[in-house]
Amino acid sequence: MNKNYYAILMAGGVGSRFWPVSTKDFPKQFHDMLGTGDTLIQKTFHRLADLIPKENIFILTNERYNNLVLEQLPDVKQRQVVLEPAMRNTAPCILYASLKIQKENPDAVMIVAPSDHWIEDEKTFSKNVQQAFDFCTENDALMTLGIQPTFPNTGYGYIEFDESNSSSIKTVNQFREKPNYETAKGFIAQGNFLWNAGIFMWRAKSVVEAFKNNQPGLFDLFEKGIALYNTDAEEDFIKENYPKAENISVDYAIMEKSTNVKVIVAEFDWNDLGTWGSLYDKLDKDESNNAVVNARTLVEDASGNMIRTKNHKIVVIDGIKDYIIVDKDEVLLIFPRSKEQDIKKTLQQVKDKFGEQYG
């Protein structure tokens, strides 16, 4: 394996739309959401380790999840766990981790990948990442993987690319925010739009330079700690300075402002696993089109349901169609799939009425 290859695995989110399984103390990336025997972060780590030395895979997460990371990823050492003392979106933590990696290896080429995505063909994923690494090694580029849209999804951002060349590596014209349905239909009809999967590849030098040019204030905040990174003094510096960082996404901070952005059209099937409905779409179904994780079911006149319980719990359902049914400890959720985007709001109502411990 190439010792210059690195990964930043993003694992700090709460995943509130997967409540009640996902909570702030034990979020979805640390659960076996698919019922495969591996948690989402374990699946992502193993996928990246096909191409990247295990010791070069850094886990970016909130400090409250440090022990969970080390428990679930026994190959990971404490030096690889990059802890955020405050929630500040993706730009500050990516800059921080990139400066650490660049200090360790100035020739580093890296991928930034979420810990909770579903990818079907992992060999093709590795092939596309290798293609990006090869390009970034020779070029000053910020690269992303774009997903070929299969329907006018309004829940994803889009990437508009220049279709004037036939190369598999395209120049990005612009990033587009999550559209309404009619706009999304127009994007797909136009043919040169991809879903933004939030997966990035670049040289450490290139991404640090992009922050220096486009976010000088943020760059200065983290750059002044260079002498302390990868030393015992790093933690104190970060605890003092990280909360001062602007809350800003990496897309807005550098990707939308840079002129050297490229995209590869991904050749693998992908899902961001952001909601119970997206999980339902990717799971095998029973003869009544119900997706079942862990439970044993007796079903009568019930179809299109997403059912998840603790292992081997018996669930009897009759006359229920297109519902999310999730049983976890002291919480039972029975919720229409058509209203899944409201689960985040419902979670807040539960916390307000019954207490923060339920979220």
Side-chain angles (χ1 to χ4, degrees), residues 302-320:
S303 62
N305 298 298
M306 173 71 240
I307 304 163
R308 190 188 196 279
T309 68
K310 287 190 171 181
N311 277 342
H312 308 306
K313 189 162 192 174
I314 295 172
V315 179
V316 181
I317 54 174
D318 189 335
I320 297 178

Side-chain angles (χ1 to χ4, degrees), residues 34-55:
L34 296 158
T36 63
D38 283 328
T39 65
L40 294 178
I41 194 172
Q42 287 170 336
K43 288 184 74 68
T44 306
F45 184 87
H46 298 326
R47 184 186 308 131
L48 294 172
D50 283 343
L51 186 65
I52 295 159
K54 289 180 180 179
E55 65 273 16

